Amino acid sequence: MIRSLRTGVSGLKSHQVRMDVISNNIANVNTTAFKRGRAAFNELLGQTLLGVGRTAGGRGINPSYVGLGVSVGSIDVNFAQGALENTGVATDLGINGDGFFVVRGGDRIYLTRAGNFTINRFGELVTNSGLQVQGWAFDENGELQSAALEDVRIPFSATAPPRQTENIYVRGNLNAELAAGETVTVSTVVYDPQGKAKTIIIEFTKTSNPNEWQWNLLDEDGNPLGVTITSGDDLITFDTQGNLDPAEALQTFDWDIDNDGTLESFTLNLAGADDALTQYAGSTTATVRDQDGQPPGSLIGFSINQEGVVELNFSNGYQQKIYQLALGSVNNVNGLQQVGDNLWSLTSSSGDLALGRAGIELNRTVIVAGTLEMSNVDLATEFTDMIVTQRGYQASARIITTSDEMLQELVQLKR
């Protein structure tokens, strides 16, 4: 009889723990990247009343035992993917797939799924509790350095260096019906080694040969620049179908663009892999399609792509990769230790930390900027579990009251 009282008590204790877990789930229904817990019960080892044996007639006897109640066997964490919510904040990052963000607090490394990051006064990407987000840096050539992890930092004072113009790309059509001596001019802005802009005019003059043009370079006032042609002569020719001679697709010249006494090399590019300057009858459409110089640029913002690459955007159109966010994974996610603030730490049960990149080592994982992963708590499931837990608690309490009544009857037998 006393044993049934203890059994009822074990039920009360176990269901109380389950209710605590459910309450925690419901309380964190709006916590970023929260993962719901689940209490699993185990049967307590029973008291054996009759062991396995055989009767005198040789027949088998099944074991008989009375259970001693229930206990909480484990409290697992359900790491199922939570829905991503759009926030529009550039530093909010949601993980769609496996893995955790890797953050550093002092000498310790933590993992988190909560990507509600901010920029601190040092330009570092940090969690809401101030821990530094970790990643790998790119070198000056845009190559990822896979050495030690570094704190991800946005250099807000960065500037994009200027680039001297080296190639000028001219495309379109020169009217084949123009008479000898008529000209076609196109203009463009080019940049010297310091990023200073200069306007030049490219002049094409029809020669007495119906398929030949002479080119020249003028300043914005129409005066010759005085360049030195290094590719031969200043003539370009077309075949009878109006196609440019492939041997003349690149016209090279030297020019002291910054007037420092040193000649810089330039290329007048008239043909590419899929298009070229032509000479057909009709209108003239020749224009400078592009040039590869650029002025200095100031930082106007940054972006983070689906692979976690942090890229700076400059006012001159230049983009520079500076970091790639590191993602961590372990063999046993339920072996991780919760340390609060949406953080997890490694334990001997979790296994070693494996680092990787979204979309590469973790090929089924992407990082979505401007979003946050929501809690994976389902209120309908939690409230249903709460009802079941409440009924289980009431049933365990009824065991105790019923056993008490039976003990009362037993005590009254002596009267």
Side-chain angles (χ1 to χ4, degrees), residues 69-81:
V70 64
S71 67
V72 177
S74 66
I75 300 178
D76 304 321
V77 178
N78 183 349
F79 281 91
Q81 175 74 44

Side-chain angles (χ1 to χ4, degrees), residues 17-334:
V17 172
R18 189 183 187 194
M19 182 61 71
D20 293 340
V21 173
I22 294 173
S23 300
N24 184 59
N25 291 342
I26 295 175
N28 285 280
V29 67
N30 289 317
T31 300
T32 301
F34 176 80
K35 303 302 179 184
R36 66 181 296 267
R38 179 188 63 183
F41 293 165
N42 283 349
E43 176 190 10
L44 288 178
L45 181 63
Q47 179 181 355
T48 301
L49 301 180
L50 185 63
V52 177
R54 289 185 178 276
T55 64
R59 295 182 179 181
I61 299 175
N62 295 326
S64 299
Y65 66 91
V66 176
L68 298 180
V70 64
S71 67
V72 177
S74 66
I75 300 178
D76 304 321
V77 178
N78 183 349
F79 281 91
Q81 175 74 44
L84 297 183
E85 176 186 18
N86 288 318
T87 65
V89 179
T91 55
D92 283 347
L93 304 176
I95 297 178
N96 187 10
D98 301 327
F100 298 81
F101 294 111
V102 181
V103 297
R104 181 182 66 84
D107 295 330
R108 297 197 61 184
I109 292 295
Y110 300 97
L111 304 177
T112 183
R113 293 276 299 192
N116 50 331
F117 302 137
T118 57
I119 304 294
N120 66 12
R121 65 190 182 96
F122 302 109
E124 297 169 335
L125 188 65
V126 297
T127 67
N128 56 10
S129 55
L131 277 64
Q132 289 90 354
V133 180
Q134 300 296 288
W136 295 284
F138 285 90
D139 62 17
E140 296 178 352
N141 298 319
E143 298 293 331
L144 186 66
Q145 303 299 299
S146 58
L149 294 176
E150 300 181 16
D151 299 340
V152 174
R153 186 176 63 86
I154 309 299
F156 287 104
S157 60
T159 57
R163 180 189 300 164
Q164 175 201 313
T165 298
E166 295 181 353
N167 294 279
I168 303 170
Y169 301 89
V170 179
R171 299 291 187 271
N173 183 63
L174 297 174
N175 188 355
E177 297 176 323
L178 294 183
E182 292 192 76
T183 62
V184 172
T185 59
V186 296
S187 63
T188 185
V189 173
V190 294
Y191 298 93
D192 69 10
Q194 294 183 346
K196 298 176 182 177
K198 292 189 176 183
T199 299
I200 65 171
I201 299 172
I202 306 172
E203 182 182 64
F204 296 95
T205 304
K206 188 72 173 291
T207 69
S208 57
N209 184 335
N211 295 316
E212 184 179 73
W213 297 74
Q214 182 182 39
W215 62 272
N216 191 22
L217 296 177
L218 312 174
D219 63 20
E220 57 185 346
D221 297 323
N223 302 314
L225 289 180
V227 302
T228 302
I229 299 174
T230 57
S231 57
D233 53 32
D234 56 355
L235 299 175
I236 58 173
T237 57
F238 297 87
D239 61 21
T240 55
Q241 283 77 39
N243 299 313
L244 180 68
D245 184 349
E248 299 179 359
L250 301 179
Q251 302 289 323
T252 60
F253 60 93
D254 292 339
W255 173 38
D256 185 9
I257 187 174
D258 52 0
N259 298 316
D260 64 349
T262 302
L263 295 176
E264 285 79 31
S265 297
F266 298 85
T267 298
L268 191 62
N269 188 307
L270 304 178
D274 54 357
D275 62 349
L277 187 67
T278 58
Q279 179 191 257
Y280 301 145
S283 61
T284 294
T285 60
T287 184
V288 175
R289 182 80 56 83
D290 196 10
Q291 59 84 35
D292 59 1
Q294 65 182 23
S298 58
L299 184 66
I300 59 174
F302 67 93
S303 60
I304 302 175
N305 67 15
Q306 291 188 343
E307 295 180 352
V309 175
V310 182
E311 196 167 45
L312 302 181
N313 302 316
F314 295 91
S315 58
N316 60 359
Y318 180 70
Q319 294 180 310
Q320 179 185 3
K321 298 177 180 178
I322 56 173
Y323 291 99
Q324 183 163 17
L325 300 183
L327 295 183
S329 61
V330 293
N331 291 333
N332 177 23
V333 290
N334 268 294

